[in-house]
Amino acid sequence: MAEKILLLHEKALRYRFDFDQTSNDFKAIHIWDDAYYRMQRYSFKRLVFIYETLLELPLEIIHGNTLDVLKAQNVEQIVIPQTGDQALTNLFKEIEKIKTVQYLSETPFVPIDRTFQFKRFFKYWNQAKKTAFLNNGNLCA
Amino acid sequence: MSILERHFDNRDDLVSYVKQLAPWAEGNASEIRGGRLECEKRISSLDAVRYGKTRNYGNGSVSMLSPFIHHGVITLNEVRNYVIQGNDSHKSIESFIRELGWRDFWARFAENNEYFLWNDVEHYKTGYASDHYQEKLPEDILEGDTGVACIDGFISELLKTGYVHNHARMYIASYIVHFRGIKWQVGARWFLSHLLDGDIASNNFSWQWIASTFSNKPYIFNLENVHKFFNGIVNTTPSKNSVLNASYQTLQKRLFPNLEIQDG
Ligand SMILES: Cc1cc2nc3c(=O)[nH]c(=O)nc-3n(C[C@H](O)[C@H](O)[C@H](O)COP(=O)(O)OP(=O)(O)OC[C@H]3O[C@@H](n4cnc5c(N)ncnc54)[C@H](O)[C@@H]3O)c2cc1C
């Protein structure tokens, strides 16, 4: 039986993460949450795009309210790819109230402090271009 | 709660299935397909060097990767790693890498400034205060029936496929905010629901960039410019695009008369 759930939300529709995916102790799911998609006001073409992408991933697509679906899973830990998206981040905070959440971070495009306060692109780019042309933004091997 | 279907005989069956799941969602499916395989096709046919010379043209070598990047099918890091692999000269691929940087820039700004996603970062530099702009998108725009042929062509593409070239997004946004006097927020919300890559940071800050609430001046364009970059792709006949058929100087005076007075 799976001990962890990898929750692939609509901003992380891929299957390569910095996380041990060889073991059998996890299963990947996507929750098709009507309330969430309605709140986003997605057009039909966008929903088809998302569903079509899900079909190529080795996961279960579960229809229901995100929190109800997760509550019903007999696992303690939910692994979630991180995103800067505010609506999803708020949802993840709700998940933290019912399960243990482990976040997977994404290799950033460039290693600039995330609290930066540039208001114009050229200021950002003056820093970013120092590593933007390097593999992994020069962050790891 | 139920487990949803994963196997379909063909795309039509998949589309009908999604329709049953989301009867409330408007419109039809796009011809643009989702999935990692489709994404890999695009990335392997990407010519990042040619991109630099042609990206502003409607038929230029743009990647069409944005829906895949937005939905995390591929990360910015992976795209960059792929592009630099085959290209030793930074100069030749600078333009493409810099555009990836724009996405990163907007996302980082949004993380630290959530409030500005829906509020003006700065004041309008158009000679008007924000209450000059209308709060509602008129039907003719929603339906792509404005009577300005090129704009209608771009809107039709948006509604049909959910993908619009960057330059065309700039034209539509500028038309809505500056030619029609509508708040950028209204247009931004509309774009977000239709674009397959609809991304609150890239979208809303780009709208603010056009509007001048997150840039030093409003972005405007004229028919000559559309003709240069989109000739043969949309209808650029002068008689069908008369509001755009003027010099920049004339448009500047017509669209921002208060600036003239202030400058004068
Ligand atoms: C009014 C307006 C609204 C926009 N809304 C969105 C949106 O909702 N989602 C979105 O991803 N982009 C948005 N953009 C930015 C840009 O138009 C698209 O990213 C680009 O057109 C996507 O097409 P492409 O993948 O072929 O891009 P390419 O030109 O091939 O660029 C490669 C990648 O770089 C990034 N990129 C390129 N140009 C920009 C840019 N100006 N700003 C941010 N990232 C960029 C994208 O991730 C893109 O996929 C908007 C621009 C404007 C003017």
Side-chain angles (χ1 to χ4, degrees):
Chain A
M1 198 185 64
E3 286 169 14
K4 292 179 186 176
I5 278 189
L6 172 61
L7 179 64
L8 295 181
H9 51 78
E10 59 119 351
K11 301 277 161 47
L13 299 180
R14 65 181 177 283
Y15 206 65
R16 294 179 197 164
F17 295 97
D18 196 6
F19 154 71
D20 181 13
Q21 287 168 289
T22 53
S23 69
N24 288 327
D25 71 349
F26 83 97
K27 76 169 177 181
I29 64 168
H30 175 83
I31 303 174
W32 190 272
D33 185 333
D34 287 328
Y36 170 80
Y37 282 129
R38 280 184 94 139
M39 192 176 75
Q40 301 303 314
R41 301 189 201 192
Y42 286 169
S43 63
F44 182 64
K45 49 189 170 291
R46 189 149 182 193
L47 295 176
V48 171
F49 182 88
I50 292 172
Y51 208 99
E52 203 160 30
T53 302
L54 289 171
L55 296 182
E56 282 181 19
L57 295 170
L59 48 65
E60 213 165 66
I61 311 171
I62 308 179
H63 192 197
N65 168 279
T66 301
L67 295 179
D68 293 344
V69 169
L70 292 177
K71 269 186 211 153
Q73 305 293 316
N74 194 15
V75 296
E76 198 31 55
Q77 199 173 31
I78 313 294
V79 182
I80 307 179
Q82 222 155 21
T83 163
D85 183 273
Q86 213 44 52
L88 282 172
T89 305
N90 292 341
L91 187 60
F92 301 161
K93 290 208 179 105
E94 294 302 309
I95 299 175
E96 283 178 23
K97 292 180 188 160
I98 55 164
K99 298 278 179 184
T100 309
V101 174
Q102 179 197 342
Y103 290 104
L104 298 176
S105 58
E106 184 182 314
T107 307
F109 179 61
V110 286
I112 296 181
D113 182 357
R114 294 211 82 80
T115 58
F116 89 113
Q117 283 295 347
F118 304 135
K119 264 181 92 182
R120 289 290 183 262
F121 177 77
F122 76 89
K123 291 205 170 160
Y124 156 84
W125 185 241
N126 277 343
Q127 274 214 31
K129 69 183 178 192
K130 293 177 192 157
T131 54
F133 296 88
L134 302 175
N135 203 48
N136 289 326
N138 207 21
L139 276 179
C140 46
Chain B
M1 208 177 313
S2 56
I3 306 292
L4 296 182
E5 199 53 65
R6 292 187 43 95
H7 300 285
F8 298 94
D9 287 341
N10 52 53
R11 195 169 192 246
D12 288 347
D13 288 355
L14 157 71
V15 170
S16 316
Y17 188 74
V18 179
K19 193 81 220 171
Q20 281 171 30
L21 279 176
W24 47 268
E26 283 175 28
N28 298 312
S30 168
E31 67 205 23
I32 299 174
R33 287 170 180 250
R36 175 83 192 189
L37 293 175
E38 192 62 33
C39 172
E40 282 172 1
K41 263 194 231 160
R42 284 171 196 229
I43 193 140
S44 57
S45 61
L46 171 67
D47 183 344
V49 176
R50 192 162 174 268
Y51 177 89
K53 295 179 190 119
T54 62
R55 62 177 285 268
N56 284 326
Y57 288 85
N59 60 1
S61 286
V62 294
S63 70
M64 294 182 79
L65 279 171
S66 53
F68 301 92
I69 294 174
H70 173 77
H71 287 292
V73 179
I74 193 165
T75 64
L76 277 187
N77 182 44
E78 280 182 89
V79 177
R80 179 260 317 286
N81 288 351
Y82 182 88
V83 169
I84 59 174
Q85 246 175 46
N87 292 288
D88 293 337
S89 141
H90 286 183
K91 199 91 209 117
S92 65
I93 53 167
E94 181 172 358
S95 168
F96 186 79
I97 303 288
R98 194 178 45 234
E99 292 309 312
L100 298 179
W102 271 103
R103 182 182 166 86
D104 188 45
F105 171 66
W106 296 133
R108 284 166 180 267
F109 190 80
E111 273 178 43
N112 296 315
N113 298 281
E114 199 193 335
Y115 173 80
F116 290 127
L117 282 168
W118 289 108
N119 292 284
D120 299 349
V121 178
E122 298 159 12
H123 67 278
Y124 280 86
K125 286 115 195 148
T126 55
Y128 295 117
S130 66
D131 60 7
H132 160 83
Y133 295 89
Q134 296 169 54
E135 304 267 1
K136 204 167 173 289
L137 210 52
E139 282 298 308
D140 66 295
I141 295 180
L142 287 169
E143 285 165 14
D145 189 22
T146 64
V148 184
C150 68
I151 293 294
D152 290 343
F154 295 134
I155 293 178
S156 148
E157 199 59 25
L158 170 72
L159 302 183
K160 206 167 112 217
T161 69
Y163 173 86
V164 188
H165 186 284
N166 178 61
H167 213 161
R169 295 182 199 209
M170 293 167 70
Y171 295 145
I172 302 176
S174 173
Y175 173 77
I176 289 178
V177 178
H178 302 306
F179 289 76
R180 299 289 297 267
I182 294 162
K183 276 204 163 73
W184 65 262
Q185 287 92 332
V186 181
R189 194 165 283 121
W190 177 59
F191 257 36
L192 278 180
S193 69
H194 283 289
L195 286 170
L196 296 181
D197 62 30
D199 177 276
I200 193 165
S202 287
N203 182 66
N204 291 23
F205 292 138
S206 295
W207 275 84
Q208 294 219 51
W209 188 89
I210 300 282
S212 75
T213 56
F214 198 0
S215 59
N216 298 334
K217 60 176 192 331
Y219 170 82
I220 58 166
F221 67 102
N222 66 9
L223 186 61
E224 193 185 340
N225 190 273
V226 183
H227 184 75
K228 174 172 171 197
F229 292 103
F230 286 84
N231 183 23
I233 297 174
V234 286
N235 183 343
T236 54
T237 314
S239 60
K240 304 260 185 232
N241 293 280
S242 48
V243 286
L244 308 177
N245 192 18
S247 69
Y248 277 104
Q249 212 181 11
T250 307
L251 287 177
Q252 179 80 15
K253 275 192 196 150
R254 190 203 302 160
L255 299 175
F256 313 120
N258 298 344
L259 289 183
E260 286 283 303
I261 298 162
Q262 283 164 18
D263 291 349

